[in-house]
Amino acid sequence: MSLLEVRDLDAGYETGQVLFGVDLDVERDEVVSLLGRNGAGKTTTMRSIVGADEPTVRGGSITFDGHDLLATEAHDIPRLGLSLVPEARRCFGDLTVTENIRLAAHHATNPRDVAAMFERFPELDDMRDRPARHMSGGEQQMLAIARSLVTNPQMILLDEPCEGLAPYIVRRIEDIIHEISENEGVTILLVEQNVAVALATADRHYLIDEGHIVDEVTTERLREDETLRQRYLGV
Amino acid sequence: MSTSSLRTLGLARLSAGGAAVWGAIALLLLVAFAVEPGLFVDQFVGGLVYGMTLVLIALGLSIILGLLGIVNFAHGALFMLGAYFTYQLMALWGLSFWIALVVAPLLVGLVGVAMERLVLQWLYDEPPLAGLLAAFGLALMIQEATRAIWGDTPLSVVTPAVLAQSADLAVTTVARVRLFSVVVAALVILAVYLLIERTDFGLSVRAGVQDREMAGFLGIDMPRRFVLMFFLGAVIAGIGGVLQGTAVGMNPTMGQQYIIITFVVVVVGGIGSLFGSVVAGLLIGEAVFLTPLVLRSLADVTGIGALAVPGIGGLVPYLVMILVLLVRPRGLYGQEGFME
């Protein structure tokens, strides 16, 4: 059984249905990407998995580590070991770096050491007492990942971690994804518009278009098949 | 030129003039003190008591507004219940003031929780107007219930002997009960500060105020915290009610009277900022009590009788609000970008 199983998922907002029968599996220790254009349904898929109030899930099932997520309260999902690093990072701007991490650790069942996070992310060490709002986008992204990692998750959902970041910071985020996957055994589902990031980090890729999973491909095929990329990603 | 640089320029000009403004205010206060020192201290203490009462109501209002986006107009009714519960406990059941000081706020807290569980929790995801109207309805219901139970006439309780005496402040004497109110309010404010800034519970509440959904994604059970904060906000308003009821007395419209000014306090302090509410509450409290005195002293000194505008005290909170919002739409300590 896969760690994360999404079956025949229908979901949408008041304005209309967005996801149509989405099927998706992520095995333990894999890095899988979900690729698609703007508005294809990537973030809606992520939000459905973590039990956000919106979108409304109208059909299908989502199972994580044997637990039925659709029957689980959103605030209980992190304690199953599934953690979200959301689009636009969403660090708590008025809280300091330490407070952001401490907050997440405090509500986890089996958290990692907060101090260890600063060894893990030396960039954050110098700005422990800085309010998150006064950090750069790249620093905030690292904080968002640290905030997730401190909860000691089995799996992290990474929603567009490289959006709007300078190329050298994108490289750093790619390295971090490698490290937490390979050295720390964390499974990752990555949502990206940036194909290069997905190619550099993921083992397998789902292509989503207008709310349908249209293909599932290996990194090799995605790299070589330009028509495929052109058709579904416009690159 | 971008609006932000325009604003920076405006603020720079203002802070250059800021020193002059503060200097002028200090001078006016000094004149008022010189003309009538006894009255000045009287009014200063009056402003402090009034300001602290506003702060006690504003804390709960501000927390609930920041956390839930609901303008809880019924918060004034909770303040009023604090006073009437004190009357019930002391005058009708013969219990001591000290018991009332503890029990009445807890009872008010329970009313607050009932309010949240039975009515307001269903409206969190509705447009803000729905919560506002429901809270307004609750305020009217509690007010009319109070009228029905305790009657329309103003009531008061007998001040406990130890607080009934006056304290000698050299130029004047002040009823101890008023100083006691100020001390209790200050302790409550300190306790709230420590809870919000120094505990893990406070940390989760601050996170929830900034991004409720994200706090939930981190595994924080926000609805449970909403109930707790509602309880806490109601208890604090209840303490304000006990103090007000003991020092001044009570009537069924006191909730309405106070909630309007308290809302002004929250707006002036900056929505979502507890520190702002404290500063704004004290500022407005003092401004209400000292402005008439300052103007009268000024009229005395200059001989221009027209300066002593009658009834200016009631207008002062709104004048302060207009002035602050003109310069800083987010309020004194409001979140950056809010209403800008």
Side-chain angles (χ1 to χ4, degrees):
Chain A
M1 193 176 183
S2 313
L3 183 59
L4 177 72
E5 278 188 11
V6 176
R7 286 282 168 276
D8 206 17
L9 182 68
D10 290 337
Y13 304 91
E14 268 179 32
T15 45
Q17 191 166 346
V18 175
L19 300 181
F20 301 87
V22 165
D23 281 311
L24 201 146
D25 285 272
V26 182
E27 305 293 334
R28 218 171 269 278
D29 297 336
E30 263 192 316
V31 179
V32 174
S33 87
L34 180 61
L35 293 168
R37 290 197 183 91
N38 237 339
K42 304 186 298 292
T43 294
T44 304
T45 306
M46 293 295 220
R47 291 178 60 83
S48 302
I49 295 172
V50 296
D53 282 347
E54 298 266 300
T56 311
V57 173
R58 293 173 187 147
S61 69
I62 305 174
T63 317
F64 176 77
D65 197 19
H67 299 274
D68 176 4
L69 293 193
L70 295 181
T72 309
E73 290 275 353
H75 61 254
D76 288 330
I77 289 178
R79 274 183 285 278
L80 300 176
L82 179 62
S83 176
L84 172 73
V85 178
E87 195 178 11
R89 352 214 193 273
R90 290 170 76 172
C91 298
F92 299 105
D94 285 350
L95 305 191
T96 64
V97 171
T98 309
E99 283 176 330
N100 267 279
I101 298 176
R102 196 156 58 87
L103 176 75
H106 184 70
H107 291 90
T109 328
N110 182 26
R112 297 191 189 185
D113 188 16
V114 173
M117 283 299 122
F118 292 113
E119 286 165 31
R120 182 72 190 66
F121 297 94
E123 298 94 335
L124 301 178
D125 197 24
D126 295 337
M127 43 183 86
R128 287 176 184 227
D129 297 323
R130 188 178 299 180
R133 72 162 75 217
H134 293 145
M135 299 163 80
S136 71
E139 290 159 355
Q140 288 191 18
Q141 187 61 57
M142 272 174 233
L143 175 56
I145 293 174
R147 185 177 65 178
S148 166
L149 210 54
V150 79
T151 65
N152 205 9
Q154 298 187 62
M155 178 169 180
I156 294 181
L157 306 176
L158 267 176
D159 197 345
E160 303 241 14
C162 299
E163 193 182 17
L165 299 186
Y168 79 96
I169 301 171
V170 172
R171 295 294 93 75
R172 173 78 177 113
I173 303 282
E174 286 175 2
D175 288 344
I176 292 172
I177 295 173
H178 276 299
E179 286 165 23
I180 58 183
S181 155
E182 275 162 37
N183 307 341
E184 301 173 39
V186 179
T187 307
I188 292 173
L189 176 60
L190 169 77
V191 153
E192 261 304 337
Q193 282 194 63
N194 184 340
V195 184
V197 174
L199 286 172
T201 54
D203 311 312
R204 210 152 54 80
H205 313 267
Y206 286 99
L207 302 181
I208 187 168
D209 192 36
E210 295 182 348
H212 300 268
I213 297 284
V214 286
D215 211 342
E216 182 201 336
V217 295
T218 60
T219 297
E220 222 167 36
R221 168 131 184 260
L222 184 65
R223 187 175 288 129
E224 282 157 13
D225 194 339
E226 205 178 312
T227 357
L228 189 74
R229 296 207 305 266
Q230 187 61 46
R231 183 174 335 144
Y232 296 118
L233 309 171
V235 288
Chain B
M1 192 185 285
S2 74
T3 48
S4 74
S5 56
L6 272 173
R7 185 166 297 124
T8 317
L9 274 179
L11 276 179
R13 203 173 55 230
L14 215 102
S15 56
V21 172
W22 286 115
I25 290 175
L27 189 68
L28 287 174
L29 292 176
L30 210 62
V31 168
F33 179 74
V35 173
E36 288 177 282
L39 197 56
F40 183 87
V41 172
D42 263 352
Q43 292 298 93
F44 181 79
V45 173
L48 205 56
V49 173
Y50 182 57
M52 285 292 195
T53 308
L54 291 176
V55 171
L56 290 185
I57 310 174
L59 286 178
L61 193 69
S62 180
I63 290 170
I64 289 161
L65 184 58
L67 208 52
L68 306 171
I70 284 185
V71 179
N72 185 18
F73 255 93
H75 209 67
L78 295 172
F79 163 70
M80 175 189 68
L81 282 182
Y84 276 94
F85 286 169
T86 306
Y87 178 81
Q88 184 72 31
L89 291 164
M90 288 176 69
L92 301 183
W93 292 347
L95 296 167
S96 86
F97 167 75
W98 307 104
I99 291 177
L101 182 61
V102 174
V103 174
L106 291 177
L107 292 175
V108 174
L110 294 182
V111 175
V113 168
M115 212 179 230
E116 198 269 347
R117 282 293 92 187
L118 296 177
V119 182
L120 297 177
Q121 69 149 324
W122 309 104
L123 303 171
Y124 292 158
D125 296 324
E126 302 297 322
L129 192 60
L132 180 76
L133 288 176
F136 193 62
L138 284 168
L140 290 178
M141 284 166 68
I142 294 176
Q143 184 179 319
E144 291 314 308
T146 301
R147 219 188 284 274
I149 297 170
W150 290 288
D152 224 350
T153 35
L155 299 172
S156 58
V157 293
V158 179
T159 316
V162 66
L163 299 178
Q165 301 149 8
S166 292
D168 191 357
L169 295 184
V171 289
T172 183
T173 57
V174 174
R176 272 196 197 171
V177 66
R178 305 174 82 191
L179 297 181
F180 177 77
S181 295
V182 172
V183 171
V184 171
L187 289 176
V188 169
I189 293 165
L190 180 69
V192 170
Y193 169 80
L194 291 176
L195 178 76
I196 298 289
E197 294 294 327
R198 293 291 154 85
T199 66
D200 284 316
F201 175 79
L203 186 59
S204 65
V205 170
R206 279 187 288 148
V209 167
Q210 287 169 57
D211 190 338
R212 199 167 102 196
E213 184 180 63
M214 188 62 225
F217 288 154
L218 290 183
I220 303 172
D221 182 355
M222 287 316 292
R224 209 179 70 202
R225 277 163 183 74
F226 297 162
V227 182
L228 279 168
M229 291 314 286
F230 232 96
F231 178 74
L232 199 68
V235 166
I236 297 168
I239 294 174
V242 176
L243 297 174
Q244 173 80 5
T246 312
V248 181
M250 66 207 79
N251 66 68
T253 57
M254 67 192 274
Q256 296 273 27
Q257 289 159 14
Y258 270 82
I259 195 65
I260 305 281
I261 310 288
T262 306
F263 188 61
V264 171
V265 166
V266 171
V267 171
V268 167
I271 286 170
S273 167
L274 296 184
F275 181 67
S277 291
V278 174
V279 172
L282 294 177
L283 179 73
I284 288 179
E286 287 300 350
V288 166
F289 275 73
L290 290 179
T291 306
L293 185 69
V294 164
L295 290 178
R296 213 165 51 237
S297 312
L298 216 55
D300 281 356
V301 171
T302 58
I304 308 169
L307 280 175
V309 185
I312 185 78
L315 273 178
V316 164
Y318 307 103
L319 294 177
V320 171
M321 177 166 77
I322 290 168
L323 270 176
V324 168
L325 293 188
L326 276 177
V327 180
R328 239 174 123 77
R330 66 170 116 136
L332 294 175
Y333 297 93
Q335 278 173 24
E336 229 168 292
F338 189 79
M339 299 288 280
E340 290 184 350

